[in-house]
Amino acid sequence: NKIYSNSILSELDDCIYEPWIKEGITTEIQEKYQIKWYERNQQVVIPVRNVNGDLVGTHCRNTNPELVNDGLKYIPLKMLNGDEYKFQMGLELFGLNYNKINIEKSKSVILVESPKSVMQADSFDMSNICCGMFGMNFSIQKLKLLLTFGVERFIIGLDRQYKEIGDNEHKAWVKKINKIIDIAR
């Protein structure tokens, strides 16, 4: 992924997003992950960093209900001048730059879908071993990256996306989990 200058973050407002506090993401954790606000688009901006801590893109949470309803809940930051801070999600694991020491010590990782889940775990666990996959997609590249830290145990912590065991949504969910298991084997 391309590495962006951190200077873009200074152009955005600091943000403590109140709905996340209600979901267990503390003020301190939002500050740690440098959560920002882009007033023009009414977006919560989550900086995405590679394993070395370099800024490789952004993951913006739209607060406009119309955009969310159109399937645009999360998108890259796009500034008024046209600069866009996107990244290849298949190459990055959110939170790995912060949690790699704990992952290496425990030889374990908890794979979750979203940056928000990583931040929630960080809010209550000082030895966080979570990494966000940006969805339910685990890739060979992500596996190789985790193996460099000696990971031997993969814990899958995906959101429940079905109403009843055995329904079509459940079958699709299980299929996605099995795909992650197949890659991690």
Side-chain angles (χ1 to χ4, degrees):
N1 274 315
K2 177 180 176 178
I3 295 174
Y4 298 99
S5 169
N6 282 312
S7 64
I8 184 58
L9 300 178
S10 63
E11 295 179 34
L12 304 169
D13 297 323
D14 289 337
C15 175
I16 301 301
Y17 190 53
E18 287 296 321
W20 286 357
I21 289 175
K22 294 176 184 168
E23 294 181 45
I25 302 171
T26 66
T27 299
E28 294 79 17
I29 294 303
Q30 291 188 50
E31 289 171 351
K32 173 182 175 179
Y33 286 89
Q34 297 178 298
I35 302 305
K36 300 289 183 178
W37 178 255
Y38 187 38
E39 182 65 33
R40 179 178 177 272
N41 290 345
Q42 300 292 293
Q43 294 171 320
V44 178
V45 180
I46 305 167
V48 176
R49 299 187 177 282
N50 65 16
V51 67
N52 299 318
D54 301 313
L55 182 67
V56 294
T58 58
H59 198 61
C60 295
R61 168 65 162 93
N62 279 314
T63 62
N64 178 332
E66 291 176 17
L67 291 173
V68 173
N69 291 338
D70 288 344
L72 300 172
K73 187 175 183 178
Y74 288 98
I75 61 172
L77 175 67
K78 187 171 185 177
M79 301 298 284
L80 187 57
N81 67 2
D83 288 346
E84 194 169 14
Y85 296 86
K86 57 186 175 179
F87 64 101
Q88 293 181 52
M89 289 188 252
L91 300 178
E92 302 301 336
L93 287 162
F94 185 83
L96 183 58
N97 59 312
Y98 290 109
N99 301 331
K100 62 188 175 186
I101 293 170
N102 296 328
I103 290 168
E104 194 167 36
K105 283 181 189 174
S106 69
K107 298 189 182 304
S108 301
V109 66
I110 301 172
L111 298 171
V112 295
E113 292 178 43
S114 69
K116 201 168 102 175
S117 295
V118 174
M119 290 186 284
Q120 285 170 322
D122 216 1
S123 292
F124 62 80
D125 186 356
M126 295 306 293
S127 58
N128 191 357
I129 60 169
C130 286
C131 285
M133 299 184 293
F134 300 102
M136 297 178 86
N137 299 313
F138 190 61
S139 64
I140 296 292
Q141 291 87 347
K142 290 177 182 178
L143 173 66
K144 287 179 180 179
L145 184 57
L146 289 169
L147 291 176
T148 65
F149 295 99
V151 173
E152 297 174 356
R153 187 170 74 144
F154 294 83
I155 302 160
I156 301 170
L158 303 184
D159 298 349
R160 179 180 170 168
Q161 297 182 350
Y162 59 90
K163 292 182 181 123
E164 189 175 314
I165 293 177
D167 66 14
N168 287 338
E169 290 89 8
H170 178 256
K171 290 175 185 173
W173 184 78
V174 169
K175 188 175 180 178
K176 289 177 182 177
I177 289 177
N178 284 335
K179 185 176 176 184
I180 294 169
I181 292 169
D182 289 343
I183 290 170
R185 283 189 182 161

